[in-house]
Amino acid sequence: MIGELKMFYKDGVHYRTLDRHLTEEDVERWVAASGWSRSRLFDEIAARLALGFNGSELSFEFCDAVVNDLFGPVTNTSGLRPMVFWEVNSAFDEGEYYHDNNREEDPVDL
């Protein structure tokens, strides 16, 4: 899934100018292929994003774009709440803005 996502979300290409974004159809296909529930799928993707970012294998921009686009499908999911996804989503959201107007610190590094 991460490999497929890398084809959509290319480093150096601004989010608004991407040719393709993740869709509900992608989520449905991945659920069918993995045999996981939607909630587990979201948690697994989020965990891989967090680990990849922490290991400097995935860029902030890539991970942030993916969790932002997963937000819609996640909120359209009933059943168990994907807790790992929400934690990872919140962490990447914190990197989107300067905290306390402190422009000396890169919010991604916090």
Side-chain angles (χ1 to χ4, degrees):
M1 287 173 253
I2 297 297
E4 189 173 344
L5 288 166
K6 283 184 174 183
M7 293 181 347
F8 307 164
Y9 304 97
K10 297 177 177 77
D11 285 333
V13 178
H14 191 270
Y15 179 83
R16 294 181 195 272
T17 62
L18 291 169
D19 293 333
R20 181 162 174 350
H21 290 265
L22 181 136
T23 65
E24 181 65 37
E25 291 75 25
D26 295 319
V27 170
E28 290 175 14
R29 184 169 37 81
W30 294 335
V31 165
S34 67
W36 295 333
S37 68
R38 287 173 64 94
S39 183
R40 179 168 178 201
L41 175 80
F42 299 135
D43 279 347
E44 293 286 341
I45 292 172
R48 290 182 180 144
L49 293 173
L51 292 170
F53 176 73
N54 192 52
S56 300
E57 298 161 11
L58 300 174
S59 71
F60 173 82
E61 291 76 17
F62 171 80
C63 296
D64 189 53
V66 172
V67 296
N68 284 338
D69 279 355
L70 277 174
F71 187 84
V74 168
T75 57
N76 290 330
T77 299
S78 60
L80 291 176
R81 191 172 172 167
M83 297 307 293
V84 173
F85 172 82
W86 287 114
E87 290 176 23
V88 170
N89 180 64
S90 293
F92 283 110
D93 277 352
E94 288 295 312
E96 293 178 350
Y97 64 94
Y98 291 101
H99 299 264
D100 299 323
N101 266 341
N102 184 353
R103 302 217 178 252
E104 309 250 333
E105 291 181 328
D106 183 349
V108 173
D109 292 338
L110 300 176

